[in-house]
Amino acid sequence: MIRVAWATDVHLEFLDEAGRGTFYDQLLNAAPDFVVLSGDIGTANNVEGFLASLDRLLACRVLFVLGNHDFYN
């Protein structure tokens, strides 16, 4: 069975480093085969960094669709 972790509108820009760490730990503990993020990951000036952090931390593929907030700033 394939395990998928799906999160939407996570707005990581509103979390401090500890809060983002908690989110990342929850994803790691779920041990998914894929992570799907559906929009509003951050804002234009930080979404790429958030995705890069997830790519470094997770041993699975991260699939995403940008939302309107990901284009702000």
Side-chain angles (χ1 to χ4, degrees):
M1 181 184 325
I2 294 174
R3 294 175 55 89
V4 177
W6 174 28
T8 186
D9 294 278
V10 293
H11 290 279
L12 296 174
E13 78 275 19
F14 294 129
L15 299 177
D16 60 15
E17 190 173 330
R20 285 190 300 275
T22 298
F23 175 71
Y24 299 153
D25 287 344
Q26 289 172 339
L27 289 176
L28 284 167
N29 290 337
D33 297 302
F34 294 93
V35 170
V36 177
L37 299 173
S38 52
D40 296 346
I41 300 160
T43 58
N45 60 350
N46 56 33
V47 68
E48 186 176 358
F50 293 145
L51 290 170
S53 293
L54 286 166
D55 187 49
R56 280 191 307 273
L57 292 169
L58 299 175
C60 66
R61 288 188 177 242
V62 177
L63 308 172
F64 64 93
V65 175
L66 297 175
N68 64 314
H69 286 255
D70 299 310
F71 291 97
Y72 288 175
N73 296 328

